[in-house]
Amino acid sequence: SSDLWVIRSARRSVGMALALNGIFGLLGVGLAALVSGGLIDFLSWRAAFIVPGVISVATGLVMWGVVAAGRIGETGAAPTAENSAGYDGRVRAVVILLLTVSVTGIVFQAMQTVMPKLFAGRLADVFDDRVFGVGASVFAVYAFSALAQLLGGALSDRLPLKLVYLMSWVIQAPLLWLMAQIGGAPLVLLALVLVSSNAASLPAENMLLAHFTPAKHHGLAFGVKFVLAFGLAPVAIELVALIQRLTGSFEVLFMLLGTAAVAVIAVLSLLPSAGPGRRATDAVAAE
């Protein structure tokens, strides 16, 4: 996991380091819609598969060469702050976080799947049925949300991690319900704020998981997180397809996701307290 790699390498301002890492991840998501739409409109649908595939292989080869040369690598063990949660509290915290990660993954993957279709359907007059216009709007949403991770990282370094994480879900819940009905330009704005609040929670989420998990189990914890976050993509995609097939729209989908967000807020209230992320790295530096 690149997030664990960042946590192991950063010594101060871990939240900002995670935010910078996440920015490029979300920009990739946004560029996927923009690039694929452009390639389909100006070349062919085959180019939308071939060009990204070639770039991926080239990037992997460069990464392999840099690592083999020893120019990048881990600098030490991931920091774990001392906490008073105790063994039972830490187990409860990890279970809670993995449950919320599951919902985060479903919301993220569902939004990624439904957003182009939603924009194309509710903003058809604006885009004049052009795929590139829809892709550009999706890119704008994810590009802005990527920058929102900087705010999430800065807050995670300065405020209690539980508060930062909880507030991101408090913002998402009503927005998901509003997305069920809103159309026109406000729809893009709602999507932008929704995806931004989801993205801004990621630094706090990763730092909370590292905080409550023993250092020797960090790899396992982040591995499970990765499986949950991305392994649920088929579930989210099937959920979107099933609801659209049964109802012909996405209103029910957003109502369900909004209700799930409320459930996450209730579960997160049981999460043990955790101080600002910067305190964790300060404690390690002082040892």
Side-chain angles (χ1 to χ4, degrees), residues 31-42 48 131-132 135:
L31 281 171
L34 180 66
V35 172
S36 62
L39 290 172
I40 291 171
D41 275 348
F42 301 114
V131 177
F132 182 76

Side-chain angles (χ1 to χ4, degrees), residues 177-202:
W177 283 330
L178 286 173
M179 288 280 289
Q181 302 296 331
I182 298 298
L187 175 65
V188 179
L189 179 61
L190 282 179
L192 188 149
V193 177
L194 173 62
V195 177
S196 295
S197 59
N198 185 290
S201 72
L202 297 180

Side-chain angles (χ1 to χ4, degrees), residues 216-232:
K216 62 181 179 180
H217 296 311
H218 277 166
L220 175 62
F222 278 84
V224 173
K225 177 183 182 293
F226 179 84
V227 170
L228 289 174
F230 292 95
L232 288 171

Side-chain angles (χ1 to χ4, degrees), residues 62-201:
V62 171
M63 181 71 176
W64 176 82
V66 173
V67 172
R71 299 184 62 180
I72 59 174
E74 297 178 3
T75 59
T80 303
E82 295 182 4
N83 61 73
S84 58
Y87 177 80
D88 291 341
R90 294 173 73 170
V91 171
R92 183 175 76 248
V94 171
V95 171
I96 289 173
L97 288 170
L98 292 180
L99 287 173
T100 58
V101 163
S102 300
V103 180
T104 299
I106 290 176
V107 171
F108 182 85
Q109 298 292 347
M111 285 298 299
Q112 186 177 351
T113 302
V114 79
M115 199 182 304
K117 299 178 181 179
L118 193 67
F119 285 1
R122 297 188 187 178
L123 300 171
D125 294 338
V126 176
F127 298 131
D128 194 26
D129 294 327
R130 295 289 291 178
V131 177
F132 182 76
V134 175
S137 297
V138 174
F139 169 73
V141 168
Y142 281 100
F144 187 88
S145 67
L147 296 178
Q149 282 210 54
L150 290 176
L151 175 61
L155 292 175
S156 297
D157 281 332
R158 292 167 174 81
L159 298 177
L161 294 173
K162 177 181 176 179
L163 175 63
V164 176
Y165 195 43
L166 185 60
M167 287 307 299
S168 72
W169 281 102
V170 170
I171 294 172
Q172 289 179 67
L175 291 180
L176 285 165
W177 283 330
L178 286 173
M179 288 280 289
Q181 302 296 331
I182 298 298
L187 175 65
V188 179
L189 179 61
L190 282 179
L192 188 149
V193 177
L194 173 62
V195 177
S196 295
S197 59
N198 185 290
S201 72

